[in-house]
Amino acid sequence: MLIEAVFPEKSAPELAELTIGQRDSFLFALRDILFGQEIVCLSVCPGCNKNVEMAFTSADLRAKAGSEQQKDNLLSLERSRYSVRFRLPNISDLMAISGCRDTNMARSMLLMRCLISASENGAEMALGQLPQDVMKELVDDMARADPLADIQFMLVCPFCGRKWQVVFDIVSILWSEIDAWAHRTLREVHTLALSYGWSESDILALSPSRRQIYLDMVGM
């Protein structure tokens, strides 16, 4: 929905073919416009239960991913006697498995959707018969080819020294920031409408800085 708002000229089927990393790259760009490049998040230490802050910029993430991003979404893996052709997961894949509540099953469904063909010693084989070590290497190749699709940070608690890994999801972060912005804006409209009798459209037509001046005068 967010990407459709930014690219109204693109059809839904076109956008659904974006890889997860491509999708997230657009969402980072949108967030830059709305809230700036700096990102500050909190994570709860699993050792002592205290909040730990992490800060970085979207530019840092995109720069790192840009040097590793696979240009072609179609990939191949040659390992021992196995040969596999596959593609990177895209938005339509996530939509297809969104109703599955079993994590392991959803993971298997996602991988099966991305597999194109497999062979053993040159003979075609069923995709579901690939051994686990080959599947693991395939998943690793996907992660390397689309680095923005799986962003993880290793954190160290400054209070107890515990180390743990967290996943950063731009989708949930951006949605929560937009939701907070919307509620804050509605509170501002409510306050100014009560104080001055202005309509919602008149209040929203004010620039943010001018609106804040009036909010300061009414003590908000």
Side-chain angles (χ1 to χ4, degrees):
M1 291 174 62
L2 292 174
I3 296 177
E4 285 179 352
V6 179
F7 299 101
E9 74 281 2
K10 298 284 188 181
S11 67
E14 285 180 297
L15 294 175
E17 294 304 309
L18 292 174
T19 69
I20 309 308
Q22 290 169 340
R23 176 203 68 179
D24 289 359
S25 180
F26 284 128
L27 293 180
F28 274 115
L30 175 59
R31 190 194 177 282
D32 289 350
I33 296 171
L34 296 176
F35 305 113
Q37 290 192 356
E38 186 176 0
I39 302 173
V40 179
C41 301
L42 290 178
S43 180
V44 178
C45 173
C48 64
N49 247 4
K50 291 188 177 180
N51 288 332
V52 176
E53 182 180 287
M54 58 178 179
F56 52 93
T57 69
S58 57
D60 292 338
L61 292 178
R62 287 203 302 273
K64 181 180 184 302
S67 62
E68 303 173 13
Q69 182 73 40
Q70 175 79 23
K71 302 302 181 185
D72 189 355
N73 294 343
L74 298 178
L75 303 169
S76 61
L77 171 67
E78 303 289 336
R79 188 181 190 281
S80 184
R81 61 184 185 274
Y82 297 99
S83 178
V84 186
R85 292 180 63 243
F86 61 98
R87 62 173 176 77
L88 297 174
N90 57 35
I91 295 177
S92 63
D93 295 322
L94 293 190
M95 293 172 65
I97 66 171
S98 61
C100 182
R101 300 305 175 201
D102 185 301
T103 303
N104 291 328
M105 183 179 295
R107 184 175 183 272
S108 297
M109 290 169 59
L110 180 62
L111 286 176
M112 286 300 105
R113 287 180 60 88
C114 294
L115 291 177
I116 299 172
S117 65
S119 62
E120 182 180 9
N121 293 326
E124 291 293 319
M125 64 179 295
L127 300 177
Q129 293 180 349
L130 284 168
Q132 287 301 311
D133 58 337
V134 175
M135 294 295 283
K136 181 182 184 306
E137 191 165 338
L138 184 148
V139 171
D140 291 341
D141 280 358
M142 284 181 174
R144 283 190 291 268
D146 202 18
L148 279 182
D150 184 21
I151 301 174
Q152 300 189 32
F153 293 98
M154 180 62 71
L155 300 182
V156 180
C157 179
F159 304 102
C160 69
R162 176 73 176 269
K163 295 181 180 180
W164 76 102
Q165 200 165 38
V166 294
V167 175
F168 177 82
D169 178 25
I170 182 60
V171 178
S172 59
I173 292 292
L174 184 53
W175 267 122
S176 64
E177 289 178 317
I178 290 175
D179 182 68
W181 168 83
H183 280 83
R184 184 171 63 251
T185 301
L186 288 174
R187 285 195 298 271
E188 292 175 356
V189 169
H190 174 74
T191 299
L192 293 179
L194 284 178
S195 301
Y196 295 103
W198 297 336
S199 68
E200 182 181 69
S201 58
D202 289 337
I203 296 170
L204 293 177
L206 296 170
S207 67
S209 57
R210 188 168 181 181
R211 192 189 309 160
Q212 188 58 51
I213 291 174
Y214 286 113
L215 289 169
D216 291 340
M217 287 191 290
V218 297
M220 181 177 178

